[in-house]
Amino acid sequence: MLKSKTFVKKTRSGGVMKIVREHYLRDDIWCGSEACTECKQESTVLQKDTCIESSLCSYPHYLIPDTNVVLHQIDVLEDPVIRNVIVLQTVLQEVRHRSAPIYKRLKDMIHEKEKHFYTFTNEHHRDTFIEREPGESANDRNDRAIRMAAKWYSQHLKTSESNPDGLKVVLLTNDQGNKQKAEESGLLVHKCEEYIKSLIANPELVDRLALSSDDKNEITSNKVLFPEHLPLSKIQAGIKSGSFLQGTFRASRDNYLEATVFVQGEGEDTTEVLIQGLQNLNRAVHQDVVALQLLPQNQWVAPSSVVLWTLTGIRLVVHSTLRISAAEAARKPTGKIVGIIKRNWRPFCGMLNVSQIKESTRHLFTPADRRIPRIRIETRQASTLAGQRIMVAIDGWPKDSRYPNGHFVRSLGSAGEKETEQEVLLLEHDVPHQAFSQAVLSFLPKMPWAITPEDMVKRQDLRQLTVCSVDPPGCTDIDDALHCRELENGNLEVGVHIADVSHFIRPGNALDKEAANRGTTVYLCGKRIDMVPELLSSNLCSLRSNVDRLAFSCIWEMNHEAEILKTQFTKSVINSKSSMTYAEAQMRIDDTTKNDDITKSLRGLNKLAKILKRQRIQKGALTLSSLEVRFHMDSETHDPIDLQTKELMETNSMVEEFMLLANISVAQKIYDEFSECALLRKHPAPPPSNYDILLKAAKSKEVEIHTDSAKALADSLDVARVDGFPYFNTLLRILATRCMMQAVYFCSGMDSDFHHYGLASPIYTHFTSPIRRYADIIVHRLLAVAIGADGTYPDLMDKHKQSALCNNLNYRHKMAQYAQRASVAFHTQLFFKSRGILNEEGFVLFVRKNAIIVLIPKFGLEGTVFFDPKDKTAPSLVFDEEGPTLKVEEHTFHIFDKVKVTISLDDSNIQHQKIRMALTDPVIPGVSVPVPDTEPQTKKPRLDR
């Protein structure tokens, strides 16, 4: 049966186009129920015996939720108790249009066999399709379509011979008008809340209900605490006229009364607008897209340098008098939030603060992320949830409530336990870490796998070459291997061979989509979250020794001065002769008794790498410094038993140089071939203001630093020395690292600035790690098309889709970095937990108005020492921003001062355990040193390999 709709549309050129839309209706769409004898279905999803105990519905029944129930009560629907649900096509389409994250969660439930969620295609069923009536809104039409499908199901199941128990259908809606019309049609219908509260065997489900508007009104006060948010129509008009600005709200970690809104300008220009004070923050939550109004210039303020935080809802005030000598800090554009354009709420991890009022069901939830405000929830499980990490979702934030309102989602386990904390860490940093689905795994090669003659058609056989890999200890996902040999003409042949992951992951399938979403492998302490399934990452793609593997090779002919004479790119087959650690490769190079082919190859590579590095530095490449730590784990408990900063060897630099060279060579090749859609990577030059702290630190030691170019900076860092202070240059380079911008992926057709500042390279990409980075897979595909080794596909040549992909990859890489640092912080806490109090030397890295940030080189650890006199009669603190210096009593702290501190773990607050640093030298009498509130931090990797 065919329904068609004809209408005319005006074209851009002014003509008229007739459009006919055809809508096919069928009578062979089955109901999916085991209880049905009418439908000729081969398999069913909905169970005949529905076992859910409800005081409202004492009969067996299926549920049909409407769109708003799915959108607002998705946490309830995800509970294992809720099964045998009919998801109508109308609902699925509306949810897809209104919320991509909830749509994905709904689809996951539909694919989960144990849930028995059945999708009924009511929009194409002859008996359930309805047309929109004249004057009827799209929303009202969809509500009517849902009621029509529910009525059809009720009648359909009633006529089934195998349904003697009277299996019924219950419509769930929170819309009073929809409920009334459903009742008038003779349907069984309930509000979602009343139905969930009727599940007497599962009272815990009530906690997962999102608050209704009635509930929200119950728990707010009569006092208006915040200004009203403007409606979207006024916001849009204000943005258009220029009276309002739109931007992303970023709350401060250190000061709950302060935030910054990043307003996107022309091109890549971004303006930062400061927001201070509860009323001006006006209920915006971290990462919301907001509308703001700039305050008059005489009301602009400077960002606070005082650390101000709240764990118990109490504002913590520094009692000392803070005097700023010299000029006031530069004031910034300052504004106030007038409305919310888009909420970016997600379920938040944290802990419950149980109410002191006996038998109260209202409690405050403290998120793990300090940028998120505390959330008021209703729960009857408070005694059970105390001491556990839980997840809570925000439902709304009324103008007369100090806190947003929310609901309990699920428990993650006991706080402090390693598995629980790791789960929190992954969830808080939005790292996809669920097991790979069957749909994804179905695209893996069938085992046993072997290289076929078809695979060899467009490949070079390089198995005879002395190829080897050099990696960190315990590495199983080996992306890259190298070789170097002397040619008959006296020149050298050098090869970088990269795992050919794109051979196994074909564009557009479920495996490819999952890898694109994950974006990167995430390395935590003692755990790896793979981007691709382990069969590929640790086996078929990993370039392990003594097995044939498919590779993508970049081969150069060089002279002995490391000048490139010829470059070749080819798909290949290799057989690595050795998989070594950096230390093992270094021992081979240094051992004069060894002279085998592998050792010769390593020595040739190492010699050329030194020349390449020298050439890079001469061009202005930066050699910055960062302290990276390595944990030694107990083999049984997997707890850290030792903590050391990583030592870098010549072989680290050797591998790095050839990876950089391959990335640059490939970047030029794919850009030459595809100037509009090459996936590249750039590192923007920092704005001059970023260098302020570096210049002040150098000036304090009478050292001159030039920052007008990368080469000027590199050259001045090379000669920066202070007599009797050997660690000064390292500290300066650590500080310079903090001044840098983030390197990002971009599409060549969407940008004009390709330069990589840190590497001093005009063009760059990522080619060398496709097992752990999705960007490299795209680059492999582009290179394969460029050399005729593979075919193209539409998305690869679409610069807009490439740009959208780059945005996701940049986000995933940033979150992976944060997750890795959080993992190091947690394991650092575990390490210090059993160590008691340690005395260590450190250096002042930053000076604040009421604190100094201290770096402990031995552990690669940073912490904050606060100066907080206990009473108003205590000595004042004098902060000089020009230095910057902080005078505490008679002692003045400068950047890079050497200090001694005690280090211990403060676990008095189980949710925010932290490293406590207390000053022991210099000794300052009369000033107490309270617990610092900063987590230890680790630094970025040194180069953009």
Side-chain angles (χ1 to χ4, degrees):
M1 186 176 175
L2 175 67
K3 293 265 183 184
S4 64
K5 189 176 183 180
T6 305
F7 59 95
V8 291
K9 181 182 177 183
K10 192 174 180 179
T11 63
R12 284 183 181 177
S13 59
V16 174
M17 181 187 292
K18 181 180 177 182
I19 297 175
V20 179
R21 283 199 178 147
E22 296 180 338
H23 190 92
Y24 289 89
L25 300 179
R26 301 167 58 171
D27 54 10
D28 60 348
I29 296 172
W30 316 131
C31 70
S33 172
E34 277 181 351
C36 176
T37 54
E38 301 292 315
C39 296
K40 299 169 184 175
Q41 47 202 358
E42 293 178 5
S43 61
T44 56
V45 173
L46 300 165
Q47 295 170 298
K48 185 177 180 180
D49 302 315
T50 61
C51 47
I52 190 162
E53 200 175 341
S54 166
S55 58
L56 273 179
C57 310
S58 55
Y59 36 81
H61 58 276
Y62 299 146
L63 298 174
I64 298 183
D66 73 0
T67 306
N68 283 321
V69 167
V70 173
L71 287 169
H72 297 116
Q73 304 296 352
I74 189 73
D75 293 321
V76 171
L77 294 176
E78 282 180 327
D79 194 280
V81 170
I82 305 298
R83 292 180 292 175
N84 294 294
V85 173
I86 299 163
V87 181
L88 300 177
Q89 182 187 3
T90 307
V91 171
L92 199 59
Q93 288 173 341
E94 276 198 286
V95 169
R96 184 179 188 178
H97 177 68
R98 290 171 62 180
S99 174
I102 291 177
Y103 175 74
K104 184 182 183 306
R105 290 167 71 181
L106 183 58
K107 290 288 283 184
D108 288 344
M109 284 188 276
I110 291 166
H111 290 137
E112 195 177 329
K113 288 183 180 179
E114 294 77 15
K115 291 284 287 177
H116 301 282
F117 273 46
Y118 179 67
T119 307
F120 179 64
T121 320
N122 64 302
E123 296 290 355
H124 289 277
H125 194 291
R126 187 177 61 183
D127 297 333
T128 58
F129 172 75
I130 59 165
E131 299 218 44
R132 188 170 164 185
E133 294 175 349
E136 186 177 38
S137 71
N139 189 56
D140 287 345
R141 181 263 167 203
N142 288 341
D143 283 348
R144 189 161 58 87
I146 292 167
R147 294 195 300 273
M148 173 67 79
K151 190 169 186 177
W152 178 85
Y153 256 103
S154 297
Q155 293 169 346
H156 180 76
L157 292 174
K158 199 180 288 183
T159 59
S160 179
E161 294 175 11
S162 62
N163 186 21
D165 298 327
L167 187 61
K168 294 180 171 59
V169 170
V170 175
L171 176 63
L172 296 182
T173 181
N174 289 330
D175 184 310
Q176 189 58 43
N178 193 23
K179 183 173 183 284
Q180 189 174 338
K181 287 175 182 175
E183 287 170 339
E184 289 168 2
S185 302
L187 294 173
L188 290 169
V189 57
H190 293 292
K191 283 193 169 183
C192 183
E193 287 87 345
E194 63 185 12
Y195 175 79
I196 295 301
K197 287 173 181 176
S198 79
L199 303 180
I200 48 181
N202 302 94
E204 74 283 355
L205 267 183
V206 176
D207 290 352
R208 300 188 73 171
L209 282 169
L211 290 178
S212 66
S213 54
D214 293 340
D215 294 329
K216 289 172 190 172
N217 291 335
E218 270 181 39
I219 60 175
T220 55
S221 65
N222 296 322
K223 184 181 178 184
V224 175
L225 300 175
F226 297 100
E228 188 85 62
H229 285 151
L230 296 179
L232 203 55
S233 56
K234 282 194 176 181
I235 289 172
Q236 288 168 339
I239 290 171
K240 191 174 181 180
S241 69
S243 55
F244 299 151
L245 298 173
Q246 175 179 327
T248 303
F249 183 88
R250 305 249 174 99
S252 167
R253 286 182 188 275
D254 296 325
N255 188 339
Y256 73 101
L257 295 175
E258 187 171 279
T260 305
V261 175
F262 288 79
V263 179
Q264 189 69 46
E266 292 292 323
E268 294 189 8
D269 293 339
T270 302
T271 304
E272 295 182 19
V273 180
L274 193 65
I275 314 290
Q276 282 190 351
L278 278 178
Q279 288 226 327
N280 289 341
L281 293 169
N282 197 8
R283 296 170 285 156
V285 176
H286 183 64
Q287 294 292 13
D288 283 350
V289 179
V290 299
L292 67 91
Q293 184 175 30
L294 282 176
L295 297 174
Q297 203 158 338
N298 62 359
Q299 293 180 35
W300 290 8
V301 295
S304 173
S305 297
V306 178
V307 179
L308 187 65
W309 34 267
T310 174
L311 289 179
T312 56
I314 299 170
R315 181 179 172 184
L316 302 180
V317 182
V318 179
H319 292 303
S320 58
T321 306
L322 298 175
R323 298 200 302 271
I324 306 177
S325 61
E328 273 285 337
R331 295 186 300 167
K332 281 193 169 187
T334 307
K336 63 179 181 180
I337 306 298
V338 295
I340 308 295
I341 296 168
K342 183 188 174 189
R343 288 290 194 189
N344 272 320
W345 294 342
R346 58 176 174 83
F348 300 105
C349 301
M351 294 184 72
L352 199 66
N353 286 50
V354 179
S355 171
Q356 299 302 307
I357 302 170
K358 196 177 180 184
E359 295 182 7
S360 173
T361 59
R362 289 178 189 160
H363 308 273
L364 282 176
F365 163 84
T366 303
D369 187 340
R370 295 189 186 283
R371 296 168 297 188
I372 308 301
R374 295 201 297 163
I375 303 163
R376 182 187 282 114
I377 70 166
E378 293 255 356
T379 178
R380 291 151 188 80
Q381 307 176 67
S383 57
T384 307
L385 298 178
Q388 292 196 7
R389 291 281 201 174
I390 63 172
M391 291 186 78
V392 161
I394 297 178
D395 298 324
W397 195 343
K399 63 184 177 181
D400 44 8
S401 174
R402 173 66 181 83
Y403 304 106
N405 301 319
H407 66 273
F408 169 74
V409 175
R410 65 186 174 102
S411 173
L412 300 170
S414 297
E417 289 186 1
K418 195 185 295 185
E419 288 302 313
T420 303
E421 297 303 325
Q422 197 156 256
E423 178 73 4
V424 169
L425 186 156
L426 293 168
L427 289 166
E428 281 296 290
H429 295 96
D430 195 17
V431 174
H433 60 286
Q434 67 279 8
F436 290 101
S437 69
Q438 283 306 311
V440 169
L441 297 176
S442 69
F443 286 96
L444 291 174
K446 300 296 179 282
M447 297 300 286
W449 174 85
I451 297 171
T452 65
E454 290 78 20
D455 294 332
M456 297 299 297
V457 171
K458 292 185 178 179
R459 292 183 185 274
Q460 280 194 42
D461 190 342
L462 305 180
R463 285 174 285 193
Q464 80 285 0
L465 294 178
T466 307
V467 172
C468 61
S469 63
V470 184
D471 290 282
C475 180
T476 60
D477 53 343
I478 302 172
D479 286 287
D480 55 87
L482 299 154
H483 89 270
C484 177
R485 64 171 178 168
E486 192 160 341
L487 299 173
E488 290 180 1
N489 62 8
N491 290 331
L492 298 169
E493 181 186 86
V494 177
V496 167
H497 311 277
I498 306 300
D500 189 4
V501 181
S502 62
H503 173 84
F504 297 95
I505 301 180
R506 303 310 296 165
N509 66 25
L511 177 56
D512 182 47
K513 288 177 180 175
E514 182 67 23
N517 177 49
R518 293 190 178 213
T520 180
T521 293
V522 181
Y523 295 90
L524 307 180
C525 298
K527 186 180 178 70
R528 188 179 80 204
I529 313 296
D530 281 329
M531 182 184 79
V532 297
E534 192 176 19
L535 178 64
L536 296 183
S537 65
S538 295
N539 187 352
L540 301 185
C541 291
S542 184
L543 304 182
R544 302 187 299 187
S545 55
N546 303 313
V547 288
D548 293 350
R549 286 290 178 258
L550 301 179
F552 210 150
S553 300
C554 176
I555 301 171
W556 303 277
E557 184 178 333
M558 293 180 172
N559 62 24
H560 288 265
E561 285 71 50
E563 293 171 334
I564 298 172
L565 308 174
K566 194 186 297 181
T567 305
Q568 180 195 5
F569 304 103
T570 180
K571 293 253 183 171
S572 62
V573 179
I574 65 166
N575 187 300
S576 173
K577 303 302 182 280
S578 180
S579 299
M580 293 169 281
T581 65
Y582 291 116
E584 287 166 350
Q586 191 67 53
M587 285 167 64
R588 271 184 177 269
I589 292 170
D590 297 340
D591 188 346
T592 54
T593 64
K594 286 189 178 292
N595 208 28
D596 55 276
D597 288 346
I598 294 172
T599 306
K600 282 182 190 174
S601 180
L602 287 171
R603 285 179 184 146
L605 290 165
N606 197 39
K607 184 180 175 184
L608 290 169
K610 289 177 181 178
I611 300 170
L612 290 168
K613 185 173 185 177
R614 187 168 66 246
Q615 291 172 350
R616 274 196 317 104
I617 291 171
Q618 285 169 355
K619 289 177 185 174
L622 294 172
T623 306
L624 301 178
S625 186
S626 62
L627 298 178
E628 295 181 64
V629 297
R630 180 179 297 283
F631 292 96
H632 296 278
M633 301 290 194
D634 185 285
S635 58
E636 291 182 8
T637 65
H638 301 290
D639 286 338
I641 53 176
D642 197 10
L643 172 61
Q644 296 174 339
T645 51
K646 294 180 184 176
E647 287 185 26
L648 298 178
M649 304 177 185
E650 278 186 1
T651 45
N652 290 81
S653 179
M654 176 189 81
V655 173
E656 193 164 56
E657 288 305 319
F658 285 107
M659 297 305 111
L660 294 173
L661 188 63
N663 287 336
I664 292 167
S665 298
V666 171
Q668 193 62 58
K669 177 67 176 177
I670 61 172
Y671 178 65
D672 290 344
E673 294 288 334
F674 309 109
S675 61
E676 286 293 296
C677 58
L679 193 155
L680 303 175
R681 188 165 174 83
K682 67 174 182 176
H683 182 211
S689 59
N690 277 31
Y691 288 121
D692 287 351
I693 191 67
L694 177 68
L695 296 174
K696 286 178 180 179
K699 188 179 178 183
S700 70
K701 299 295 182 186
E702 299 180 350
V703 169
E704 200 169 355
I705 295 292
H706 301 284
T707 59
D708 30 336
S709 70
K711 179 157 177 55
L713 175 60
D715 289 345
S716 53
L717 284 172
D718 284 343
V719 296
R721 298 282 184 274
V722 171
D723 291 340
F725 192 175
Y727 202 65
F728 171 75
N729 190 265
T730 303
L731 286 170
L732 210 56
R733 290 180 190 274
I734 288 171
L735 214 51
T737 305
R738 307 296 177 85
C739 302
M740 295 297 123
M741 304 291 283
Q742 188 79 30
V744 291
Y745 297 111
F746 69 101
C747 177
S748 58
M750 305 291 282
D751 209 326
S752 56
D753 178 18
F754 294 7
H755 191 74
H756 197 295
Y757 180 81
L759 297 173
S761 177
I763 195 166
Y764 192 67
T765 194
H766 272 164
F767 164 75
T768 55
S769 296
I771 294 176
R772 61 184 177 92
R773 291 188 305 230
Y774 187 76
D776 303 53
I777 293 177
I778 295 295
V779 170
H780 277 227
R781 289 173 181 169
L782 288 165
L783 185 60
V785 176
I787 65 171
D790 205 347
T792 186
Y793 57 99
D795 284 7
L796 193 65
M797 298 296 141
D798 187 325
K799 66 180 182 181
H800 297 286
K801 288 187 177 176
Q802 287 278 47
S803 185
L805 174 64
C806 288
N807 290 339
N808 180 60
L809 296 179
N810 290 329
Y811 171 72
R812 292 297 187 200
H813 277 259
K814 182 173 69 174
M815 289 296 106
Q817 279 187 343
Y818 292 162
Q820 288 158 12
R821 292 175 196 173
S823 179
V824 170
F826 175 65
H827 281 78
T828 302
Q829 291 169 9
L830 289 180
F831 172 75
F832 282 106
K833 193 171 188 176
S834 59
R835 296 298 183 284
I837 298 175
L838 300 181
N839 294 287
E840 295 295 341
E841 282 192 347
F843 296 95
V844 176
L845 205 54
F846 298 102
V847 176
R848 298 284 184 255
K849 286 182 183 178
N850 63 333
I852 55 174
I853 287 91
V854 176
L855 171 71
I856 310 297
K858 180 177 176 180
F859 298 127
L861 178 69
E862 270 177 50
T864 307
V865 175
F866 285 88
F867 301 106
D868 187 8
K870 289 183 177 178
D871 57 68
K872 294 181 181 179
T873 61
S876 64
L877 311 177
V878 182
F879 177 68
D880 178 3
E881 188 161 10
E882 287 304 303
T885 61
L886 178 64
K887 187 175 182 182
V888 185
E889 251 197 6
E890 296 305 312
H891 187 87
T892 302
F893 290 97
H894 307 79
I895 292 180
F896 298 163
D897 279 358
K898 185 181 280 191
V899 294
K900 289 183 180 177
V901 294
T902 60
I903 309 171
S904 60
L905 178 69
D906 174 21
D907 56 3
S908 56
N909 182 324
I910 194 166
Q911 163 142 274
H912 291 114
Q913 295 188 50
K914 48 199 172 273
I915 300 298
R916 172 201 289 263
M917 282 194 189
L919 196 67
T920 60
D921 186 20
V923 175
I924 303 174
V927 179
S928 64
V929 185
V931 179
D933 195 48
T934 43
E935 301 286 353
Q937 298 177 6
T938 54
K939 320 303 176 300
K940 300 175 192 172
R942 298 184 331 154
L943 278 177
D944 192 16
R945 263 180 65 192

